[in-house]
Amino acid sequence: MDLNSLLTNELQLGEFQKRALNNIGIKTVKDLLWHFPNRYEKFAAASAIADLIGGTSATISGKILKTKIERTWRKKMTIAEALLSDGTGEINLVWFHQPYIAKMLKVEDAVAVTGKIQKNKKGLYIANPVYEKINPDAIKIDRGLIPIYPETRGLSSRWFRFAIRKILKKILEESGNLEDAIPDFILSRYHLPSLKTALVCIHAPKKLKDAEASRKRFAFEEVFAIQLYRIKQRMQYDKQPCFTIKTEQKSIEEFLSHFSFGLTNAQKEAVNRILADFQKKSPMARLLEGDVGSGKTVVAAAAVFATVKAGHQIAYMAPTEVLARQHFKTFTEYFKPFGKKIGLVTSSECLKFPSKVNPGKATHISKSQLLKWVASGEIPILIGTHSLIQEKVKFKNLAFVIIDEQHRFGTNQRQKLAKKSVAPHLLSMTATPIPRTLALTVYGDLDLTLLDEMPPERKSIITEIVPPTQRQRAYEFIREEIKGEHQAYVICPRIAEKTDSKSLISLTMKSVKSEYEKLSKKIFPEYKVAMIHGQMPAKEKEKIMNEFRDGKTKILVATSVIEVGVDVPNATAIIIEGAERFGLAQLHQLRGRVMRSCHQSHCFVFTESNSQKALSRLKFLKEAKNGFELAEYDLKFRGSGELAGKKQWGISDVGMEALKNLKMVEAARTEAQNILASDPELISYPLLAEKLSSQNSEIHFE
Ligand code: ADP
Ligand code: MG
């Protein structure tokens, strides 16, 4: 049997199962075998039902006395029930959403069952127990470890267990060995099991230790493959010709002397690194990672200055229009004394600075005119949203590309932009602090520079988790801040109330529109309150941002559109509604909006959730002083089982486990580098080459 053969050729599958498998992307034998258990349960020797105590876990065995299926009217849920007796007593087994179980279990069947014993009015029961039909004589026999698989609608863990066991058996009988993509010398160097052993041990372990060793192998394999892919990409990138940008230290110093502040040491170092990269024969590919407010824009501006001074063009890409416009504004200030022309291109408008009529201001121009000037080199600095990567945008001599808040862009977008001309030097910037292991892996093709120092005199933010009863007090605090000439944000998880939904969540989830109504009319009628969200026309958004920036608007109610990069130093307080709905990194970004000056800033975190998990996460936000701690926390708790991490980084749950292990990630990187250094085309490693060609190059963020 070929690992790549279709499951439909190997298993008898009903239409429903085919569809269910398709939905979770399982098509081939390999896909199925790589559907790993997320835990194991032990069928211990059985307990007597009469001895069971609510709240404990137990394994029991006995005979089915009764089965029934019920549909609840309220939640449209099917409940399958079975009554089990072992002669000492009886207990109810209950399965939710699994009507077929009641069909498969017949009265008189002997089964072994394991699960948590619970109690309700009717007595003891087990909800969603793991069960196995057994020979009536086999009652009370130790059955070893049972793999529990992530389930999907229509495919139970049990189904996976049997299907996988069948396929695995067939494969092992047919072929003595399985070809392993990881070279032998690497397996033995790190004591990793072979593919065959690992597959058997992950699906049918005798001991937990064997299963763990297998997971480790698969984790290594995944990280190793990503590293190979990224390093190979970098090697190809390095081969491209690029512009060498010569800089005179003196002119950079002159540029920086126009700022009202001096650079921090971290900023100086970052600028020097970039300028050194500019001198090299291969294009720069650098990630500038610095907490919100650490001053990445200034670093970028210095590098931009060096580029245009040398007669080249630069493109600066931001993830949102609000942010692109803000950078445009900032840059017009920075570059005014040097007479450099700057263009802004977004999907809704184009601007050019300076205007012919009014040299202190920017002016609207047509897109075609702007593009003409960019193509002729007349405009050396072009700022924009992803419209920048449209084919239509042509440059004369694009030498440098900056991608702000780069975690918002997929890696393909990054590559597309990089393909624009002779390879431009590439600077990616992010405020999302990434654990080192993750940076080495998903950004394995980038060099890393940290801005690990905040501008001086920044006070650290005070974060408070506000219980519903204290809401008024938080509002009074904001009122005092505004009286002291400051401003505030109120962030809500959604734009409008959903009126058509019956779900409870929508009733308690705060929306921008309803909070705006409430705050402007009832709570703060004496101040100008405004709202901003992604569904507004760009013009209107700009007007609202300008009025907030100018201090006319005191309170801005917003969705997380203001999350990235918005810079209004006079805003000193932020309220975050429904905080449990945001990721920790995102919450940190949000509170970063008010950590931009030397004033003491405050963040009030409101939550509707009482869950212990949500509260301890928020508590961690309160205590964590920098984003790196938050990133490590997210990694630790999102790691296994949860889809969130997967979605963000395109790494499987097993791969995520590797990211908790710096040694393993470094080992994978070293091995990948060594292999590619001696055999760049992977000619001696055909399986690895095949793996790379199927590696999905697009990693999706958020
Ligand atoms: P981020 O790294 O989040 O993009 P910004 O570049 O927007 O941060 O900078 C945040 C604020 O800090 C801006 O108002 C900027 O002018 C200011 N700033 C940057 N560097 C310094 C510095 N070395 N000293 C004082 N203020 C600075
Ligand atoms: Mg920024």
Side-chain angles (χ1 to χ4, degrees), residues 531-575:
M531 66 172 164
I532 187 168
H533 56 73
Q535 284 174 6
M536 286 176 165
K539 279 256 158 60
E540 201 177 335
K541 278 196 273 189
E542 187 189 354
K543 185 165 156 269
I544 288 165
M545 276 320 293
N546 281 341
E547 285 176 356
F548 189 64
R549 204 169 279 134
D550 298 343
K552 283 186 207 136
T553 302
K554 298 299 176 192
I555 299 177
L556 187 62
V557 188
T559 50
S560 52
V561 288
I562 66 129
E563 170 203 344
V564 271
V566 171
D567 186 21
V568 180
N570 195 45
T572 52
I574 186 166
I575 286 181

Side-chain angles (χ1 to χ4, degrees), residues 2 45 62 177 187 191 257 307 381 388 423 425 433 469 471 519 527 572 664 666 668-669:
D2 187 345
N177 209 347
L187 290 179
H191 310 289
S257 71
T307 311
I381 302 174
L388 264 188
H425 298 284
T469 51
R471 182 172 278 273
L519 295 174
Y527 296 123
T572 52
M664 184 196 274
E666 282 174 342
R669 188 168 173 81

Side-chain angles (χ1 to χ4, degrees), residues 296-297 327 404-405 565 596:
K296 295 183 288 293
T297 319
H327 286 325
D404 195 15
E405 308 297 345
R596 326 216 114 227

Side-chain angles (χ1 to χ4, degrees), residues 291-488:
D291 221 336
V292 275
S294 57
K296 295 183 288 293
T297 319
V298 175
V299 173
V304 167
F305 180 78
T307 311
V308 294
K309 179 93 190 174
H312 299 289
Q313 285 179 303
I314 84 104
Y316 192 160
M317 187 159 86
T320 64
E321 290 198 12
V322 170
L323 201 55
R325 206 167 290 113
Q326 179 187 295
H327 286 325
F328 178 73
K329 255 201 147 118
T330 315
F331 269 50
T332 55
E333 293 298 318
Y334 290 174
F335 287 88
K336 212 181 258 176
F338 305 94
K340 300 291 175 202
K341 296 194 177 95
I342 308 177
L344 172 76
V345 54
T346 69
S347 57
S348 59
E349 67 175 344
C350 292
L351 290 172
K352 172 181 163 278
F353 177 89
S355 145
K356 267 202 187 113
V357 218
N358 188 345
K361 285 224 152 82
T363 182
H364 277 100
I365 57 170
S366 72
K367 187 166 194 168
S368 58
Q369 183 58 54
L370 179 76
L371 295 186
K372 235 181 250 164
W373 277 332
V374 171
S376 70
E378 168 91 12
I379 292 182
I381 302 174
L382 187 63
I383 299 174
T385 52
H386 51 266
S387 342
L388 264 188
I389 59 168
Q390 285 167 3
E391 293 303 321
K392 272 188 280 178
V393 185
K394 297 240 170 2
F395 293 84
K396 183 175 170 225
N397 57 358
L398 180 65
F400 179 31
V401 167
I402 301 167
I403 302 183
D404 195 15
E405 308 297 345
Q406 82 110 34
H407 60 286
R408 284 299 190 97
F409 295 100
T411 43
N412 269 359
Q413 257 168 313
R414 195 165 83 204
Q415 280 151 18
K416 225 185 211 168
L417 187 55
K419 271 190 205 128
K420 275 275 157 198
S421 69
V422 185
H425 298 284
L426 186 72
L427 180 68
S428 289
M429 307 201 290
T430 182
T432 303
I434 307 155
R436 190 173 155 68
T437 51
L438 187 64
L440 281 175
T441 307
V442 289
Y443 303 136
D445 55 337
L446 301 175
D447 297 320
L448 188 66
T449 298
L450 290 183
L451 278 191
D452 51 4
E453 182 183 1
M454 281 291 178
E457 289 169 46
R458 282 278 157 84
K459 292 207 178 63
S460 63
I461 189 164
I462 297 174
T463 302
E464 275 188 67
I465 303 166
V466 187
T469 51
Q470 304 275 304
R471 182 172 278 273
Q472 218 49 45
R473 194 178 55 83
Y475 288 150
E476 287 319 309
F477 186 93
I478 300 258
R479 199 182 312 278
E480 289 305 312
E481 283 292 297
I482 298 175
K483 276 187 198 155
E485 295 298 312
H486 293 303
Q487 292 161 279

